[in-house]
Amino acid sequence: MERFHRVFIIVLDSLGIGEMEDAARFGDEGADTLGHIAQAVPRLSLPNLAKLGLWNAHPSGKEQAEKHPEGYYGVLQERSNGKDTMTGHWEMMGIYTTKPFKTFTENGFPEELIKELEERTGRTIIGNKSASGTEILEELGEEEIATGHMIVYTSADSVLQICGNEETFGLDELYRCCEIARELTMKDEWKVGRVIARPYVGKKKGEFVRTSNRHDYAVKPPGPTVLDALKKAGYDVISIGKIKDIFAGEGITKAWKSKSSVHGMEQTTEAADQEFHGLCFVNLVDFDALWGHRRDPEGYAAELERFDNKLGELLDVLQEDDLLMITADHGNDPTYKGTDHTREKVPLLVYSGSDKGAGSLGEQDTFAVIGATVAENFGVEMPEGTIGHSLLHLIR
């Protein structure tokens, strides 16, 4: 029997809560995104997350833990072999990834790939290195505008990113080039999780600004997910933020693009004010993209406080038969070495609009408990080949 009419899943992109047992294999010993932010920014105040049990879930958060939390709290380990956005989100919906996506952080993309991309697009490529999006625009934006060359770069993620000035390069041309890059990077030796179109405006250094016309070209999940099962059964599956891109549109019935994490929370509250039956799946990327990769604990802390404020607004409009689940997809410790994601456990906070129960959910061995719980609630079967076990019986 259906317990909840609507389920909201909010992913705080990269909010890890401490190293996983195999962190050394990924070079991430000692990483702790939330814990180290709290140490670096002692004034950090997250009253709404705290009352739901965030610090109860954190391994070293005993001093800040709520004696009587208003929600359920737990810790999730990632079973998949990776620490990126796609493996994390896919696992939440039942996909177990054994082979991680390729990264090209150290030396950029192979000469063979660059040459073929130049031939197919008709553009000379500049950049071809790991860089932040803002830095590479400052370095090469003027050259791209003047010459018509194409900026290609990567990051610590499994991505190939292409910049294009909306006025001189053009959005249609940028998307065309990205579609060619996606085709090429489906080869095993060049396979990246996502090709990302990064449009921008401005005419010179100091004026360049990336726009919201970003588009991700992701690899499709290797098989059906819980999202597909929900959609097939006739339920609404609303995507907010980059969820649609992460799943290449599979299993989505309606998608809202977000301009920022704050905007994403405003959209989530707007969705909660509307009638739908099913799942609202939200990714808030600014924690990761703006602060984690840039190793900025102050900025990350401020973003968390902005989220916490918007979370309070969402809690006020949830209905009695709504279920809210807050989690993360990996870590990105802003105090850690390098600029890569970090292999960490993540929190799971669960709150019912009926406010009937609270307590510990313990530590679970996969992110896939999230999708399995949603599937059981709506009475749909987990697709063949997926993993995960439901926690619905623990939630009153």
Side-chain angles (χ1 to χ4, degrees), residues 7-12 15-17 49 52-58 71-77 92 323-328 345-351 359-364 366-371 373-374 389-392 394-395:
V7 178
F8 296 81
I9 299 172
I10 300 176
V11 181
L12 308 185
L15 189 68
I17 56 172
L49 283 167
L52 296 186
L54 178 63
W55 296 111
N56 300 67
H58 192 278
Y72 294 92
Y73 56 89
V75 177
L76 305 184
Q77 300 222 35
M92 291 177 204
L323 185 70
L324 171 64
M325 309 174 81
I326 300 174
T327 190
K345 301 175 184 180
V346 303
L348 175 62
L349 307 180
V350 180
Y351 175 80
S360 175
L361 297 172
E363 185 164 317
Q364 306 296 327
T366 173
F367 295 178
V369 296
I370 295 172
T373 300
V374 174
H389 56 278
S390 174
L391 303 180
L392 195 63
L394 299 176
I395 302 167

Side-chain angles (χ1 to χ4, degrees), residues 160-310:
L160 183 153
Q161 304 187 79
I162 302 179
C163 299
N165 186 285
E166 291 195 1
E167 296 176 344
T168 59
F169 200 98
L171 273 177
D172 289 343
E173 174 65 4
L174 176 61
Y175 295 158
R176 181 188 76 88
C177 293
C178 286
E179 288 166 4
I180 293 170
R182 177 70 280 176
E183 179 186 340
L184 294 177
T185 55
M186 291 303 294
K187 295 182 179 179
D188 281 343
E189 63 269 30
W190 300 336
K191 198 168 189 177
V192 294
R194 287 173 293 158
V195 171
I196 305 177
R198 289 287 197 177
Y200 67 98
V201 293
K203 294 181 171 57
K204 61 182 180 180
K205 290 180 181 179
E207 296 181 355
F208 296 131
V209 177
R210 296 195 293 189
T211 75
S212 60
N213 290 318
R214 162 182 169 163
H215 185 66
D216 293 34
Y217 300 80
V219 176
K220 288 185 178 182
T225 72
V226 172
L227 303 183
D228 296 293
L230 291 171
K231 181 179 179 180
K232 185 177 180 181
Y235 291 99
D236 296 310
V237 182
I238 300 172
S239 156
I240 294 180
K242 64 178 185 177
I243 295 295
K244 180 181 178 181
D245 290 333
I246 293 168
F247 289 88
E250 300 292 305
I252 306 296
T253 62
K254 182 178 182 180
W256 297 3
K257 292 183 67 175
S258 303
K259 298 176 182 177
S260 66
S261 290
V262 167
H263 183 222
M265 280 302 292
E266 291 170 347
Q267 291 173 310
T268 305
T269 302
E270 182 181 345
D273 275 332
Q274 299 177 7
E275 176 55 37
F276 72 90
H277 187 195
L279 174 65
C280 178
F281 197 179
V282 183
N283 174 275
L284 305 178
V285 72
D286 288 353
F287 302 103
D288 186 55
L290 298 185
W291 315 117
H293 284 306
R294 297 182 188 177
R295 294 300 185 250
D296 185 347
E298 289 272 355
Y300 206 129
E303 193 71 55
L304 281 170
E305 291 181 337
R306 287 191 287 271
F307 167 77
D308 194 82
N309 180 60
K310 292 297 179 182

Side-chain angles (χ1 to χ4, degrees), residues 10 35 44-45 60 99 112 114 135 155 203 239 324 352 389:
I10 300 176
L44 178 66
S45 176
S60 59
K99 186 177 180 180
E112 296 81 6
I114 294 299
E135 289 173 354
S155 70
K203 294 181 171 57
S239 156
L324 171 64
S352 166
H389 56 278

